[in-house]
Amino acid sequence: MKIYGVVGWKNAGKTGLMERLVSEICARGFSVSTVKHAHHVFDVDHPGKDSYRHRTAGAREVLLASRKRVALMHELRGAPEPSLDELLARLSPVDLVLIEGYKRDAHPKIEAFRAETGNPLIAPEDPTIRAVASDTPMDLDRPVFDLNDAPAIADFILQETGL
């Protein structure tokens, strides 16, 4: 499996870029999975639902399955957060895994950047960021794409990964 990341500060446009890239790359016939890092506590099930009741009763893993999808929830129960490599090993094989977040890991990435956020660029200090997708033109030592130009960004990622 090939992997490529999308990083950036909060409100930089990462999730929208991920969505456009998944759609664009899937439309070209490639299989794509995603990994999203969250810096906060999150829940995918809700109070009163059977899966929630199983989890809060103490189950380490809850597997929810139907004809449409399968979801596996794994409670860490005080164990350390799994590394990106450990998480990737759990995925079924696909052509490309797009990773949102994990900016400190060593895989190749594109940085999403919106000038209005006032945050600095990460790219100048990080050689794993191979390009920037921005809402404003900039002069950098690596390619800069329009943040909304998913076809061009997809071309770049597919070329970078050898797909």
Side-chain angles (χ1 to χ4, degrees):
M1 285 189 309
K2 306 292 186 175
I3 65 170
Y4 215 89
V6 174
V7 297
W9 300 113
K10 183 177 178 166
N11 297 321
K14 298 180 301 292
T15 301
L17 178 56
M18 287 280 292
E19 182 180 11
R20 291 186 298 277
L21 287 172
V22 168
S23 180
E24 179 69 28
I25 295 170
C26 285
R28 296 181 188 197
F30 294 99
S31 57
V32 178
S33 290
T34 65
V35 174
K36 160 90 171 105
H37 188 259
H39 291 284
H40 49 80
V41 175
F42 66 91
D43 232 332
V44 294
D45 58 351
H46 304 284
K49 295 294 184 184
D50 294 350
S51 57
Y52 180 90
R53 293 170 62 189
H54 296 184
R55 187 173 54 83
T56 58
R60 163 112 357 135
E61 290 189 324
V62 177
L63 181 66
L64 184 60
S66 75
R67 289 180 293 141
K68 298 280 187 183
R69 73 186 48 91
V70 174
L72 176 63
M73 292 172 280
H74 181 97
E75 286 293 311
L76 295 177
R77 306 258 184 241
E81 180 180 345
S83 70
L84 178 57
D85 285 340
E86 291 169 318
L87 296 172
L88 290 170
R90 294 179 182 185
L91 293 177
S92 298
V94 292
D95 296 319
L96 178 65
V97 178
L98 289 174
I99 302 164
E100 182 177 342
Y102 291 94
K103 69 173 72 89
R104 289 174 180 80
D105 285 71
H107 59 280
K109 308 167 190 74
I110 188 163
E111 179 178 357
F113 179 81
R114 280 199 178 119
E116 69 187 29
T117 66
N119 291 314
L121 267 175
I122 302 166
E125 306 302 320
D126 187 344
T128 67
I129 296 176
R130 311 276 297 148
V132 173
S134 176
D135 65 349
T136 184
M138 54 182 65
D139 184 26
L140 289 177
D141 62 348
R142 60 202 84 186
V144 177
F145 297 94
D146 182 295
L147 184 58
N148 295 310
D149 191 353
I153 298 167
D155 287 344
F156 178 79
I157 290 171
L158 293 172
Q159 179 183 14
E160 284 267 297
T161 59
L163 294 171

